[in-house]
């Protein structure tokens, strides 16, 4: 389904560039050994901007929970209603949460707890966005 | 005067461990006023948010029996909750009737403190502030301003416009791209509504509950709204409040498990509260309602969503701050009016506050009991936004009326000597604690 295409900015460009190479990267503070997503200018734990790196992650995760959107304010999504909005937790750190429409999974039949794998969807000319699919 | 700035967040009571509020019982609410209500603006000057804000403020002054010249502070929440009026042209009769500020939408979508000072001709104002999101932070700011002696008599005002067109479907929601913070959420349609719906689903999974168990609370909110003469439904659509359990359960989903009756309906209206010092309050016309504490919650989530664990931690923190700063315990809190717009998050506040002994996971059992205003557990006696239309201040208004003993048919039969109201969400909300006694 069509999605709004992200507009990369200085902070987010490395993330979206990685998506375009079909890689999922997450900001990581090497001092705190702690990942954070969405990315921020500084580590939200130690407050420093100096130890942030982009760490490539496995792209494996689990379905944490979901809801089913019937009446979105986002115009571009309205034609596809109702649709799943799923919260994914990352294998490396379940505190890191991603969002997904869970393509391939019927509406309101979301298997909470199931394993998922990252996938990439083209949402604008040359821009991929991270999505997730149930595996196994 | 210089244009009004935002109330400094350093003056919010957002930390735990601050002890009893230093001005506990030294500030009082002495006037309340509400304008008429409408579903949408009819585009005449007389019913503009600005006009109605003035009328609400004047009612609050008249109630207290004081003149405009006695007001020396104004705090408003200047943003309305509906769509902006721009780029529509400013209606001519509105432009003729009122002095503008730098913001062409001022007086149409919301009202700034500067607009109020100009258009009410307030001559003696020495302190003005703005606050975000709701009237609750404006009330907190007003109480601190009076307590600190920066002003002695403060009008706290919010107007909110509602125009034609689908609510919220403008700006970033209408585009083909997502930028700023929205690039991490909007592509999937993640906004406040999915957050609340997902959180509620997590709650039901954790505690073994389900959406149908919300029916007693939602129906009771509407029953209380039918007893609130200032409310939109009471004034315009009383029959809409008479929904059955079956109607609630079969209503259309907005974002399953949230249906249309879990949402508050946007309306067009304005409200005002008048705060002053405890010393001045005793010479005014109404029985003073004392401010015992004000609390703010400004919490940051770990990742792209707020988890149920975070929601519970945030509402636990709100409760600790409410009780610590007011010196009250849960069993000493008589009136409990947490925010309900959306109904699906009210249980987090109730359980955090442990009002009437309700623990985590027990709210839906509590709702199944007698929560009517005449019963033993008169929860959310205002009927909230759900029972009265979206303003985010009915709960504050109800606290004042219950403590004055002027809540009419909504007056609880239990003791009403202390009260709590606040909005908006577990991570970002502001709370006022009131008492009939300053001690
Ligand atoms: Zn760090």
């Amino acid at each position: 389904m069509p999605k709004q295409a992200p507009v990369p900015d200085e902070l987010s460009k490395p993330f979206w560039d990685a998506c375009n190479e079909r890689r999922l990267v997450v900001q990581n503070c090497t001092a705190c050994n702690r990942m954070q997503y969405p990315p921020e200018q500084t580590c939200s734990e130690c407050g420093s901007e100096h130890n942030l790196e982009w760490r490539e992650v496995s792209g494996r995760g689990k379905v944490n929970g979901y809801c089913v959107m019937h009446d979105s304010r986002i115009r571009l999504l309205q034609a596809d209603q109702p649709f799943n909005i799923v919260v994914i937790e990352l294998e490396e750190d379940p505190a890191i949460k991603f969002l997904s429409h869970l393509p391939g999974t019927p509406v309101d039949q979301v298997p909470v707890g199931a394993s998922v794998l990252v996938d990439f969807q083209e949402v604008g000319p040359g821009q991929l966005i991270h999505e997730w699919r149930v595996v196994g | 005067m210089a244009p009004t700035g935002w109330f400094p967040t350093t003056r919010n009571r957002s930390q735990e461990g601050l002890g009893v509020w230093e001005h506990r019982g030294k500030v009082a609410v002495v006037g309340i006023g509400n304008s008429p209500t409408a579903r949408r603006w009819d585009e005449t000057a007389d019913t503009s948010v600005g006009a109605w804000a003035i009328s609400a403020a004047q009612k609050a002054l008249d109630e207290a029996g004081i003149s405009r010249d006695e007001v020396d502070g104004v705090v408003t929440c200047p943003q309305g909750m509906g769509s902006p009026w721009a780029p529509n042209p400013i209606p001519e009769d509105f432009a003729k009737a009122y002095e503008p500020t730098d913001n062409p939408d001022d007086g149409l979508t919301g009202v700034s403190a500067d607009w109020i000072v100009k258009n009410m001709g307030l001559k003696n104002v020495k302190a003005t502030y703005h606050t975000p999101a709701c009237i609750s932070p404006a009330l907190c700011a007003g109480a601190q301003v009076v307590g600190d002696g920066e002003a002695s008599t403060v009008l706290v005002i919010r107007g909110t416009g509602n125009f034609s067109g689908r609510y919220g479907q403008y700006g970033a929601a209408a585009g083909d791209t997502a930028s700023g913070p929205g690039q991490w959420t909007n592509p999937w349609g993640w906004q406040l509504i999915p957050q609340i719906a997902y959180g509620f689903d997590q709650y039901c999974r954790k505690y073994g509950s389900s959406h149908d168990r919300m029916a007693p609370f939602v129906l009771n909110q509407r029953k209380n709204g039918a007893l609130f003469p200032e409310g939109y439904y009471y004034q315009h659509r009383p029959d809409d409040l008479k929904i059955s359990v079956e109607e609630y359960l079969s209503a259309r989903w907005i974002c399953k498990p949230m249906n249309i009756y879990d949402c508050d309906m946007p309306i067009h209206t304005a409200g005002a509260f008048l705060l002053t010092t405890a010393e001045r309050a005793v010479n005014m016309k109404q029985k003073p309602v004392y401010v015992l504490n004000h609390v703010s919650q400004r919490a940051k989530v770990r990742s792209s969503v707020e988890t149920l664990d975070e929601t519970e931690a945030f509402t636990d923190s709100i409760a600790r701050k409410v009780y610590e700063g007011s010196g009250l315990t849960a069993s000493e809190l008589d009136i409990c009016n947490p925010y309900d717009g959306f109904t699906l998050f009210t249980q987090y506040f109730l359980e955090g506050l442990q009002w009437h002994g309700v623990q985590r996971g027990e709210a839906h059992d509590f709702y199944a009991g007698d929560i009517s205003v005449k019963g033993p557990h008169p929860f959310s006696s205002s009927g909230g936004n759900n029972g009265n239309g979206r303003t985010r201040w009915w709960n504050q208004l109800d606290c004042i009326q219950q403590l004055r003993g002027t809540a009419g048919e909504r007056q609880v039969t239990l003791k009403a000597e202390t009260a709590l109201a606040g909005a908006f969400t577990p991570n970002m909300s502001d709370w006022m604690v009131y008492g009939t006694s300053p001690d």
Side-chain angles (χ1 to χ4, degrees), chain B residues 115-133:
Chain B
W115 195 96
I116 289 290
V117 169
K118 276 188 185 181
N119 287 290
M120 287 187 77
L122 303 178
K123 296 187 202 79
N124 298 316
V125 170
K126 55 190 185 188
T128 60
Y129 289 104
H130 287 154
T131 60

Side-chain angles (χ1 to χ4, degrees), chain A residues 29-75:
Chain A
C29 177
T30 52
C32 300
N33 189 28
R34 181 177 182 272
M35 289 191 280
Q36 60 187 19
Y37 173 89
E40 296 182 57
Q41 296 292 350
T42 58
C43 168
S44 58
E45 186 75 10
C46 68
S48 171
E49 60 186 312
H50 301 297
N51 307 306
L52 293 174
E53 59 168 12
W54 290 98
R55 175 176 159 193
E56 186 163 348
V57 293
S58 64
R60 285 190 295 271
K62 277 196 163 45
V63 173
N64 163 266
Y66 76 105
C67 55
V68 180
M69 179 51 84
H70 289 248
D71 194 353
S72 178
R73 290 182 180 186
I74 307 287
R75 195 171 290 160

Side-chain angles (χ1 to χ4, degrees), chain B residues 135-380:
Chain B
I135 206 166
S136 292
L139 283 163
C140 294
Q144 192 66 35
V145 163
V146 172
D148 287 346
E150 206 178 338
S152 61
T153 305
V154 173
L155 270 171
V156 175
I157 300 171
R158 189 193 203 172
T160 181
N162 194 38
F163 311 133
S164 57
R166 288 296 311 272
Y167 194 79
Q169 298 189 7
Y170 62 94
D176 291 342
T177 58
S179 53
Q183 67 191 294
W184 310 108
T185 53
N186 288 358
W188 298 272
W190 185 264
Q191 296 182 302
L192 181 60
I193 284 174
Q195 168 67 63
I196 304 303
Y198 151 79
F200 184 83
D201 188 61
Q202 296 290 90
Y203 176 91
C204 289
R205 286 172 194 276
K206 179 171 178 179
Y207 297 112
S209 194
S210 52
H211 179 259
D212 55 346
R213 303 192 68 228
M214 286 296 295
F217 174 60
V218 173
L219 267 59
N220 194 65
Q221 287 294 81
R222 300 172 88 86
K223 279 182 195 143
N224 291 349
L227 307 175
F228 209 145
E230 290 88 342
Y232 171 80
Y233 288 104
Y234 182 104
Q235 293 175 357
H236 301 284
R237 296 194 200 172
D239 288 345
D240 283 10
L241 294 173
K242 296 173 191 158
I243 63 165
S244 65
V245 172
E246 292 68 31
E247 283 170 297
Y248 173 65
L249 297 181
S250 61
R252 76 178 174 96
W253 296 116
I254 299 298
C255 184
K256 190 182 174 187
M258 177 192 291
N259 77 24
I260 187 79
Y261 289 120
D262 296 313
C263 305
D264 50 346
M265 188 172 72
I267 60 170
H268 181 86
T269 189
F273 295 75
L274 185 65
L275 275 61
T276 193
T277 61
E279 296 86 47
R280 285 170 189 253
V282 291
N283 297 317
M284 294 186 188
K285 275 165 55 180
Q286 306 297 321
K287 175 181 161 187
V289 171
Y290 297 94
V291 181
L292 304 184
N293 188 18
H294 69 85
V295 162
S296 296
Q297 176 77 0
R298 300 287 182 269
K300 194 171 176 305
V301 297
R302 173 78 175 84
S303 190
S304 42
V305 307
E306 181 176 312
T307 64
L308 180 59
D309 284 348
E310 287 174 320
T311 300
E312 295 190 338
F314 296 163
T315 46
D316 281 346
S317 175
I318 290 169
R320 285 192 294 268
K321 289 182 282 191
V322 160
Y323 294 130
E324 181 188 16
S326 65
L328 300 177
T329 62
S331 61
E332 291 169 331
L333 182 61
D334 298 334
I335 300 295
C336 186
N337 270 317
Y339 189 49
D340 72 321
F342 305 92
T343 61
L344 301 189
F345 61 47
T346 308
Q347 72 264 346
Y348 308 129
F349 300 122
L350 169 63
E351 293 172 0
L353 291 160
Q354 299 187 30
W355 190 70
H356 284 217
V358 179
Q359 304 293 314
R360 288 288 171 206
E362 294 180 356
H364 297 174
D365 294 335
F366 177 77
Y367 292 164
D370 184 355
I371 56 171
S372 70
V373 286
K374 299 302 178 191
H377 308 292
F379 180 60
S380 188

Side-chain angles (χ1 to χ4, degrees), chain B residues 23-44:
Chain B
H23 305 306
R24 182 189 192 277
K26 293 173 188 157
V27 178
V29 178
V30 288
I32 51 179
N34 222 85
S35 79
T37 60
R39 173 77 170 106
R40 297 177 192 276
W41 187 34
D42 66 9
E43 301 183 19
T44 65

Side-chain angles (χ1 to χ4, degrees), chain A:
Chain A
M1 56 193 275
K3 289 176 169 63
Q4 289 187 338
V7 180
D9 49 42
E10 202 183 335
L11 178 63
S12 66
K13 191 168 183 304
F15 179 89
W16 296 119
D17 285 350
C19 279
N20 288 342
E21 297 166 2
R22 299 187 166 266
R23 294 186 302 120
L24 184 65
V25 297
V26 177
Q27 210 179 27
N28 181 56
C29 177
T30 52
C32 300
N33 189 28
R34 181 177 182 272
M35 289 191 280
Q36 60 187 19
Y37 173 89
E40 296 182 57
Q41 296 292 350
T42 58
C43 168
S44 58
E45 186 75 10
C46 68
S48 171
E49 60 186 312
H50 301 297
N51 307 306
L52 293 174
E53 59 168 12
W54 290 98
R55 175 176 159 193
E56 186 163 348
V57 293
S58 64
R60 285 190 295 271
K62 277 196 163 45
V63 173
N64 163 266
Y66 76 105
C67 55
V68 180
M69 179 51 84
H70 289 248
D71 194 353
S72 178
R73 290 182 180 186
I74 307 287
R75 195 171 290 160
L76 210 56
L77 296 171
Q78 290 168 354
D80 290 299
Q81 290 168 170
F83 57 87
N84 297 321
I85 308 183
V86 180
V87 177
I88 304 295
E89 53 188 47
L90 185 66
E91 183 176 87
E92 285 87 343
D93 181 354
I96 300 297
K97 301 286 198 288
F98 294 94
L99 297 165
S100 174
H101 290 140
L102 219 57
T105 297
V107 174
D108 208 5
Q109 293 179 36
V110 174
V112 173
S115 295
V116 293
L117 196 60
V118 74
D119 191 10
F120 294 90
Q121 178 194 343
E122 187 164 1
V123 286
Q127 182 60 61
L128 299 186
I129 197 168
H130 48 319
E131 256 298 358
W132 301 79
R133 288 180 186 273
V134 173
V135 289

